[in-house]
Amino acid sequence: MDSHRRTTVDEALPDGQVFPDSAGVAGNPLNGTRPPAMDAEAFHAASERILTAINTVIDGKAEAAKLALTVLLAQGHLLLEDVPGVGKTLLAKTLARTIDCSVSRIQFTPDLLPSDVTGVSIYNQASRLFEFRPGAVFANIVIGDEINRASAKTQSALLECMEEHQVTVDGHSYKLDEPFMVVATQNPIEMEGTYPLPEAQRDRFMARISMGYPDKDSEIEMLETHQATSPLTRVTAVVTSADVAAMIAAVQRVYVSQAVKEFTVSLGRATRESAMLRLGASPRSMLQLLRAAKATAALEGRNFVLPDDVVSVAEAVLAHRIILDRKAASTGETPHSVIRSILAKLPVPQEMSAAPSRAGSPRGGTDLRHTR
C-alpha cells in the first residue's frame, strides 16, 4: 500500500490511546457536522478546477473524468473496468490528488487479508489494553488496484465500509472520514488468479466506467507530452476536503420532481420485468441512480433534475448490476444494449410538475445555475 497523504496510526490514535468506539479518525472537522452547501459560482469554479486537472493527465477521456467527479459528488463508489494500460489507475490517482485529503492505495493480491483493509486490534502489554490499529480503508479516498485479485473473504471486508461508512472489528464500530469514496480497478480479460466480484459487492459500486482506447490525436498527444515524466507528478490539490463536503451538500439539495422519481422507478421495474434479463436493477441502484442524476444536474448548472440527467447516467449506474438471460446473451445482447432498448421504450415525462423557480427550488435547494 502506498499513499499521497495517508492517515497514519499516530494521527488516528494520538499518544497511544485506545481507538474510541463509534468515532472516526481524529482530526477531521467534517465528521459529525453538516457543512453548508456551496453556492453556485463556487461550485462551478471548483468542479472546473478538478476536471481541468484530470484532463491534463488523462488525454481524450473528458467523459470518464466527469463521471468520476459525478460519483464523488453523489457519495458513491467507482469501478474502473478495462484492459491493462488504458489509464484506470492513473484516473483514480489523479482524482485523488486533486483533493487535499487523506488517500490510501491498496494493491489487491490473493494473500491480502481482511485485517489489512479494515485494521486489527493489538494487545498493548504496557497498558494491558487492546488498541485498534486502523487499516488502509481509513482514508477519504481509497484506491483499490485490481480488486478482483483478492479472495472473496478479503473483498467482503469492503462491504460494510462502502455501504455504511464504518468498520466493525471485534464488536466495535469505527466511523470513517467524510467524504469517503472507494475507487477500484479490475481487468475483465485476464481471468487467471482472479476472483469475480460477487453481486453484493458490484451492487455497492455506484457506477462502472470502461475507459476504452484514446483516439488517434489523443494518443499522439500522449506520446509527445508523457515521455520524460508522468504528468501525475505535476498535479496538485485544487480543492480541500471541506470544499468537496460543501459541494456534496449542494448536490443533496438539488430538487427532484415527482415525475422524475416515477420515471426512475419505472426504469428500474422495467429491468426486472425484461425477458432479456435474469437479474434486474435493485432498489439500491434506483437510489444511487437518482443521486448520480442530481450530481449531473448540479454539474450542468441546474438546481433541479431532468429526465435527461437520469438517462445520461443510466448505463454507467445500471449495466454492471444486471445479468443477461442466456438466450439474450447468445444473440449478442449486452447489458448496455438492453438498458438502451428499455430507455427507448420508456415514456419520458413531458411536463415537470412543481418545477423550482429561478430563485431556487421550492424545498430550499441551492440555485446552481450559472452562465457558461
Side-chain angles (χ1 to χ4, degrees), residues 173-203:
S173 296
Y174 309 100
K175 289 292 184 182
L176 298 173
D177 277 354
E178 299 289 349
F180 174 71
M181 180 184 186
V182 174
V183 184
T185 70
Q186 71 171 3
N187 175 11
I189 304 299
E190 186 179 358
M191 293 293 107
E192 184 177 353
T194 62
Y195 302 82
L197 296 182
E199 291 306 316
Q201 180 79 59
R202 297 174 71 88
D203 198 50

mmCIF file of all heavy atoms in Angstrom, residues 173-203:
data_model
loop_
_atom_site.group_PDB
_atom_site.id
_atom_site.type_symbol
_atom_site.label_atom_id
_atom_site.label_comp_id
_atom_site.label_asym_id
_atom_site.label_seq_id
_atom_site.Cartn_x
_atom_site.Cartn_y
_atom_site.Cartn_z
ATOM 1 N N SER A 173 -17.562 -0.616 16.448
ATOM 2 C CA SER A 173 -17.715 0.074 15.162
ATOM 3 C C SER A 173 -16.955 1.391 15.186
ATOM 4 O O SER A 173 -17.002 2.132 16.171
ATOM 5 C CB SER A 173 -19.203 0.327 14.865
ATOM 6 O OG SER A 173 -19.898 -0.893 14.712
ATOM 7 N N TYR A 174 -16.289 1.673 14.076
ATOM 8 C CA TYR A 174 -15.498 2.895 13.942
ATOM 9 C C TYR A 174 -15.939 3.622 12.673
ATOM 10 O O TYR A 174 -15.943 3.039 11.586
ATOM 11 C CB TYR A 174 -14.006 2.563 13.861
ATOM 12 C CG TYR A 174 -13.521 1.650 14.950
ATOM 13 C CD1 TYR A 174 -13.341 0.292 14.701
ATOM 14 C CD2 TYR A 174 -13.259 2.136 16.218
ATOM 15 C CE1 TYR A 174 -12.903 -0.560 15.699
ATOM 16 C CE2 TYR A 174 -12.816 1.293 17.231
ATOM 17 C CZ TYR A 174 -12.650 -0.060 16.964
ATOM 18 O OH TYR A 174 -12.215 -0.890 17.957
ATOM 19 N N LYS A 175 -16.327 4.879 12.832
ATOM 20 C CA LYS A 175 -16.779 5.675 11.697
ATOM 21 C C LYS A 175 -15.598 6.052 10.808
ATOM 22 O O LYS A 175 -14.493 6.297 11.283
ATOM 23 C CB LYS A 175 -17.479 6.939 12.180
ATOM 24 C CG LYS A 175 -18.841 6.693 12.823
ATOM 25 C CD LYS A 175 -19.842 6.209 11.799
ATOM 26 C CE LYS A 175 -21.226 6.048 12.424
ATOM 27 N NZ LYS A 175 -22.206 5.528 11.448
ATOM 28 N N LEU A 176 -15.873 6.120 9.508
ATOM 29 C CA LEU A 176 -14.866 6.539 8.541
ATOM 30 C C LEU A 176 -14.989 8.031 8.275
ATOM 31 O O LEU A 176 -16.043 8.641 8.487
ATOM 32 C CB LEU A 176 -15.023 5.767 7.227
ATOM 33 C CG LEU A 176 -14.837 4.257 7.321
ATOM 34 C CD1 LEU A 176 -15.193 3.607 5.991
ATOM 35 C CD2 LEU A 176 -13.419 3.905 7.717
ATOM 36 N N ASP A 177 -13.897 8.618 7.806
ATOM 37 C CA ASP A 177 -13.892 10.031 7.470
ATOM 38 C C ASP A 177 -14.864 10.331 6.332
ATOM 39 O O ASP A 177 -15.114 9.489 5.472
ATOM 40 C CB ASP A 177 -12.482 10.475 7.049
ATOM 41 C CG ASP A 177 -11.591 10.795 8.240
ATOM 42 O OD1 ASP A 177 -12.094 10.791 9.362
ATOM 43 O OD2 ASP A 177 -10.391 11.038 8.025
ATOM 44 N N GLU A 178 -15.399 11.524 6.329
ATOM 45 C CA GLU A 178 -16.210 12.025 5.229
ATOM 46 C C GLU A 178 -15.491 13.194 4.574
ATOM 47 O O GLU A 178 -14.895 14.011 5.291
ATOM 48 C CB GLU A 178 -17.587 12.467 5.735
ATOM 49 C CG GLU A 178 -18.416 11.366 6.382
ATOM 50 C CD GLU A 178 -18.940 10.323 5.390
ATOM 51 O OE1 GLU A 178 -18.825 10.578 4.159
ATOM 52 O OE2 GLU A 178 -19.428 9.276 5.829
ATOM 53 N N PRO A 179 -15.539 13.324 3.267
ATOM 54 C CA PRO A 179 -16.147 12.385 2.318
ATOM 55 C C PRO A 179 -15.359 11.091 2.210
ATOM 56 O O PRO A 179 -14.154 11.066 2.463
ATOM 57 C CB PRO A 179 -16.113 13.159 1.005
ATOM 58 C CG PRO A 179 -14.952 14.090 1.149
ATOM 59 C CD PRO A 179 -14.925 14.484 2.587
ATOM 60 N N PHE A 180 -16.031 10.014 1.810
ATOM 61 C CA PHE A 180 -15.390 8.710 1.678
ATOM 62 C C PHE A 180 -15.778 8.101 0.340
ATOM 63 O O PHE A 180 -16.947 8.061 -0.028
ATOM 64 C CB PHE A 180 -15.828 7.775 2.809
ATOM 65 C CG PHE A 180 -15.321 6.368 2.664
ATOM 66 C CD1 PHE A 180 -13.979 6.081 2.857
ATOM 67 C CD2 PHE A 180 -16.190 5.338 2.319
ATOM 68 C CE1 PHE A 180 -13.507 4.779 2.718
ATOM 69 C CE2 PHE A 180 -15.719 4.042 2.184
ATOM 70 C CZ PHE A 180 -14.379 3.761 2.383
ATOM 71 N N MET A 181 -14.774 7.630 -0.394
ATOM 72 C CA MET A 181 -15.011 7.050 -1.716
ATOM 73 C C MET A 181 -14.004 5.945 -1.993
ATOM 74 O O MET A 181 -12.815 6.094 -1.720
ATOM 75 C CB MET A 181 -14.898 8.131 -2.795
ATOM 76 C CG MET A 181 -15.124 7.645 -4.225
ATOM 77 S SD MET A 181 -14.852 8.979 -5.431
ATOM 78 C CE MET A 181 -15.362 8.193 -6.956
ATOM 79 N N VAL A 182 -14.493 4.833 -2.515
ATOM 80 C CA VAL A 182 -13.646 3.733 -2.966
ATOM 81 C C VAL A 182 -13.597 3.769 -4.491
ATOM 82 O O VAL A 182 -14.643 3.784 -5.154
ATOM 83 C CB VAL A 182 -14.172 2.370 -2.488
ATOM 84 C CG1 VAL A 182 -13.344 1.235 -3.091
ATOM 85 C CG2 VAL A 182 -14.153 2.282 -0.971
ATOM 86 N N VAL A 183 -12.398 3.817 -5.043
ATOM 87 C CA VAL A 183 -12.199 3.752 -6.490
ATOM 88 C C VAL A 183 -11.417 2.479 -6.776
ATOM 89 O O VAL A 183 -10.232 2.382 -6.438
ATOM 90 C CB VAL A 183 -11.443 4.980 -7.024
ATOM 91 C CG1 VAL A 183 -11.350 4.916 -8.543
ATOM 92 C CG2 VAL A 183 -12.123 6.274 -6.593
ATOM 93 N N ALA A 184 -12.068 1.495 -7.372
ATOM 94 C CA ALA A 184 -11.449 0.189 -7.609
ATOM 95 C C ALA A 184 -11.252 -0.041 -9.094
ATOM 96 O O ALA A 184 -12.029 0.440 -9.928
ATOM 97 C CB ALA A 184 -12.309 -0.925 -7.018
ATOM 98 N N THR A 185 -10.196 -0.776 -9.432
ATOM 99 C CA THR A 185 -9.930 -1.134 -10.825
ATOM 100 C C THR A 185 -9.909 -2.654 -10.962
ATOM 101 O O THR A 185 -9.607 -3.372 -10.001
ATOM 102 C CB THR A 185 -8.573 -0.579 -11.310
ATOM 103 O OG1 THR A 185 -7.504 -1.280 -10.651
ATOM 104 C CG2 THR A 185 -8.463 0.907 -11.011
ATOM 105 N N GLN A 186 -10.242 -3.126 -12.157
ATOM 106 C CA GLN A 186 -10.106 -4.555 -12.435
ATOM 107 C C GLN A 186 -9.993 -4.773 -13.931
ATOM 108 O O GLN A 186 -10.453 -3.966 -14.738
ATOM 109 C CB GLN A 186 -11.262 -5.354 -11.853
ATOM 110 C CG GLN A 186 -12.601 -5.180 -12.518
ATOM 111 C CD GLN A 186 -13.625 -6.179 -11.994
ATOM 112 O OE1 GLN A 186 -13.357 -6.973 -11.101
ATOM 113 N NE2 GLN A 186 -14.821 -6.146 -12.550
ATOM 114 N N ASN A 187 -9.357 -5.873 -14.271
ATOM 115 C CA ASN A 187 -9.135 -6.264 -15.661
ATOM 116 C C ASN A 187 -10.131 -7.362 -16.023
ATOM 117 O O ASN A 187 -10.086 -8.456 -15.452
ATOM 118 C CB ASN A 187 -7.696 -6.762 -15.825
ATOM 119 C CG ASN A 187 -7.416 -7.301 -17.218
ATOM 120 O OD1 ASN A 187 -8.212 -7.137 -18.131
ATOM 121 N ND2 ASN A 187 -6.282 -7.965 -17.383
ATOM 122 N N PRO A 188 -11.063 -7.112 -16.949
ATOM 123 C CA PRO A 188 -12.080 -8.121 -17.276
ATOM 124 C C PRO A 188 -11.589 -9.216 -18.217
ATOM 125 O O PRO A 188 -12.298 -10.188 -18.456
ATOM 126 C CB PRO A 188 -13.169 -7.290 -17.960
ATOM 127 C CG PRO A 188 -12.405 -6.197 -18.635
ATOM 128 C CD PRO A 188 -11.233 -5.883 -17.724
ATOM 129 N N ILE A 189 -10.376 -9.064 -18.748
ATOM 130 C CA ILE A 189 -9.876 -10.016 -19.747
ATOM 131 C C ILE A 189 -9.139 -11.179 -19.088
ATOM 132 O O ILE A 189 -9.437 -12.346 -19.338
ATOM 133 C CB ILE A 189 -8.957 -9.308 -20.764
ATOM 134 C CG1 ILE A 189 -9.704 -8.138 -21.423
ATOM 135 C CG2 ILE A 189 -8.461 -10.288 -21.806
ATOM 136 C CD1 ILE A 189 -10.942 -8.547 -22.181
ATOM 137 N N GLU A 190 -8.166 -10.855 -18.254
ATOM 138 C CA GLU A 190 -7.339 -11.892 -17.639
ATOM 139 C C GLU A 190 -8.067 -12.509 -16.454
ATOM 140 O O GLU A 190 -8.335 -11.842 -15.458
ATOM 141 C CB GLU A 190 -6.012 -11.292 -17.177
ATOM 142 C CG GLU A 190 -5.023 -12.328 -16.662
ATOM 143 C CD GLU A 190 -3.711 -11.699 -16.244
ATOM 144 O OE1 GLU A 190 -3.569 -10.475 -16.394
ATOM 145 O OE2 GLU A 190 -2.841 -12.437 -15.756
ATOM 146 N N MET A 191 -8.409 -13.790 -16.541
ATOM 147 C CA MET A 191 -9.170 -14.460 -15.505
ATOM 148 C C MET A 191 -8.312 -15.333 -14.596
ATOM 149 O O MET A 191 -8.768 -15.791 -13.565
ATOM 150 C CB MET A 191 -10.267 -15.333 -16.134
ATOM 151 C CG MET A 191 -11.355 -14.536 -16.841
ATOM 152 S SD MET A 191 -12.361 -13.552 -15.694
ATOM 153 C CE MET A 191 -11.745 -11.897 -16.052
ATOM 154 N N GLU A 192 -7.055 -15.571 -14.965
ATOM 155 C CA GLU A 192 -6.205 -16.442 -14.161
ATOM 156 C C GLU A 192 -5.846 -15.753 -12.848
ATOM 157 O O GLU A 192 -5.369 -14.625 -12.826
ATOM 158 C CB GLU A 192 -4.930 -16.786 -14.934
ATOM 159 C CG GLU A 192 -4.024 -17.780 -14.203
ATOM 160 C CD GLU A 192 -2.811 -18.149 -15.028
ATOM 161 O OE1 GLU A 192 -2.744 -17.753 -16.196
ATOM 162 O OE2 GLU A 192 -1.935 -18.840 -14.479
ATOM 163 N N GLY A 193 -6.096 -16.435 -11.752
ATOM 164 C CA GLY A 193 -5.759 -15.899 -10.442
ATOM 165 C C GLY A 193 -6.662 -14.776 -9.983
ATOM 166 O O GLY A 193 -6.257 -13.950 -9.165
ATOM 167 N N THR A 194 -7.895 -14.745 -10.495
ATOM 168 C CA THR A 194 -8.831 -13.697 -10.095
ATOM 169 C C THR A 194 -10.061 -14.310 -9.435
ATOM 170 O O THR A 194 -10.359 -15.498 -9.609
ATOM 171 C CB THR A 194 -9.288 -12.851 -11.289
ATOM 172 O OG1 THR A 194 -9.986 -13.684 -12.223
ATOM 173 C CG2 THR A 194 -8.095 -12.191 -11.973
ATOM 174 N N TYR A 195 -10.761 -13.485 -8.683
ATOM 175 C CA TYR A 195 -11.984 -13.888 -8.006
ATOM 176 C C TYR A 195 -13.083 -12.906 -8.426
ATOM 177 O O TYR A 195 -13.049 -11.743 -8.013
ATOM 178 C CB TYR A 195 -11.817 -13.856 -6.486
ATOM 179 C CG TYR A 195 -10.699 -14.727 -5.965
ATOM 180 C CD1 TYR A 195 -9.380 -14.274 -5.985
ATOM 181 C CD2 TYR A 195 -10.951 -15.994 -5.449
ATOM 182 C CE1 TYR A 195 -8.339 -15.067 -5.502
ATOM 183 C CE2 TYR A 195 -9.923 -16.789 -4.965
ATOM 184 C CZ TYR A 195 -8.621 -16.323 -5.003
ATOM 185 O OH TYR A 195 -7.599 -17.108 -4.526
ATOM 186 N N PRO A 196 -14.021 -13.316 -9.263
ATOM 187 C CA PRO A 196 -15.060 -12.390 -9.732
ATOM 188 C C PRO A 196 -15.785 -11.729 -8.560
ATOM 189 O O PRO A 196 -16.065 -12.370 -7.540
ATOM 190 C CB PRO A 196 -16.003 -13.292 -10.540
ATOM 191 C CG PRO A 196 -15.156 -14.459 -10.940
ATOM 192 C CD PRO A 196 -14.192 -14.671 -9.813
ATOM 193 N N LEU A 197 -16.103 -10.451 -8.729
ATOM 194 C CA LEU A 197 -16.796 -9.739 -7.667
ATOM 195 C C LEU A 197 -18.200 -10.318 -7.489
ATOM 196 O O LEU A 197 -18.942 -10.468 -8.465
ATOM 197 C CB LEU A 197 -16.917 -8.252 -8.000
ATOM 198 C CG LEU A 197 -15.627 -7.437 -8.109
ATOM 199 C CD1 LEU A 197 -15.962 -5.973 -8.385
ATOM 200 C CD2 LEU A 197 -14.802 -7.546 -6.851
ATOM 201 N N PRO A 198 -18.589 -10.657 -6.254
ATOM 202 C CA PRO A 198 -19.967 -11.123 -6.037
ATOM 203 C C PRO A 198 -20.954 -10.003 -6.306
ATOM 204 O O PRO A 198 -20.598 -8.820 -6.287
ATOM 205 C CB PRO A 198 -19.955 -11.537 -4.556
ATOM 206 C CG PRO A 198 -18.815 -10.786 -3.944
ATOM 207 C CD PRO A 198 -17.790 -10.631 -5.021
ATOM 208 N N GLU A 199 -22.211 -10.375 -6.544
ATOM 209 C CA GLU A 199 -23.222 -9.377 -6.887
ATOM 210 C C GLU A 199 -23.398 -8.334 -5.794
ATOM 211 O O GLU A 199 -23.627 -7.158 -6.069
ATOM 212 C CB GLU A 199 -24.563 -10.076 -7.177
ATOM 213 C CG GLU A 199 -24.559 -10.900 -8.451
ATOM 214 C CD GLU A 199 -24.118 -10.082 -9.652
ATOM 215 O OE1 GLU A 199 -24.576 -8.936 -9.802
ATOM 216 O OE2 GLU A 199 -23.303 -10.583 -10.450
ATOM 217 N N ALA A 200 -23.298 -8.740 -4.535
ATOM 218 C CA ALA A 200 -23.444 -7.783 -3.436
ATOM 219 C C ALA A 200 -22.341 -6.740 -3.469
ATOM 220 O O ALA A 200 -22.567 -5.571 -3.125
ATOM 221 C CB ALA A 200 -23.426 -8.515 -2.092
ATOM 222 N N GLN A 201 -21.146 -7.140 -3.899
ATOM 223 C CA GLN A 201 -20.030 -6.202 -3.991
ATOM 224 C C GLN A 201 -20.216 -5.265 -5.191
ATOM 225 O O GLN A 201 -20.026 -4.051 -5.077
ATOM 226 C CB GLN A 201 -18.725 -6.969 -4.136
ATOM 227 C CG GLN A 201 -17.489 -6.083 -4.229
ATOM 228 C CD GLN A 201 -17.050 -5.567 -2.868
ATOM 229 O OE1 GLN A 201 -16.758 -6.335 -1.980
ATOM 230 N NE2 GLN A 201 -17.023 -4.269 -2.717
ATOM 231 N N ARG A 202 -20.616 -5.808 -6.316
ATOM 232 C CA ARG A 202 -20.809 -4.987 -7.509
ATOM 233 C C ARG A 202 -21.936 -3.977 -7.301
ATOM 234 O O ARG A 202 -21.882 -2.853 -7.799
ATOM 235 C CB ARG A 202 -21.125 -5.879 -8.716
ATOM 236 C CG ARG A 202 -20.003 -6.831 -9.097
ATOM 237 C CD ARG A 202 -20.442 -7.776 -10.203
ATOM 238 N NE ARG A 202 -20.586 -7.090 -11.470
ATOM 239 C CZ ARG A 202 -19.600 -6.919 -12.347
ATOM 240 N NH1 ARG A 202 -18.378 -7.374 -12.072
ATOM 241 N NH2 ARG A 202 -19.811 -6.300 -13.479
ATOM 242 N N ASP A 203 -22.958 -4.389 -6.561
ATOM 243 C CA ASP A 203 -24.097 -3.511 -6.359
ATOM 244 C C ASP A 203 -23.756 -2.310 -5.481
ATOM 245 O O ASP A 203 -24.488 -1.321 -5.477
ATOM 246 C CB ASP A 203 -25.254 -4.297 -5.712
ATOM 247 C CG ASP A 203 -26.582 -3.583 -5.863
ATOM 248 O OD1 ASP A 203 -26.915 -3.193 -6.995
ATOM 249 O OD2 ASP A 203 -27.278 -3.402 -4.847
#
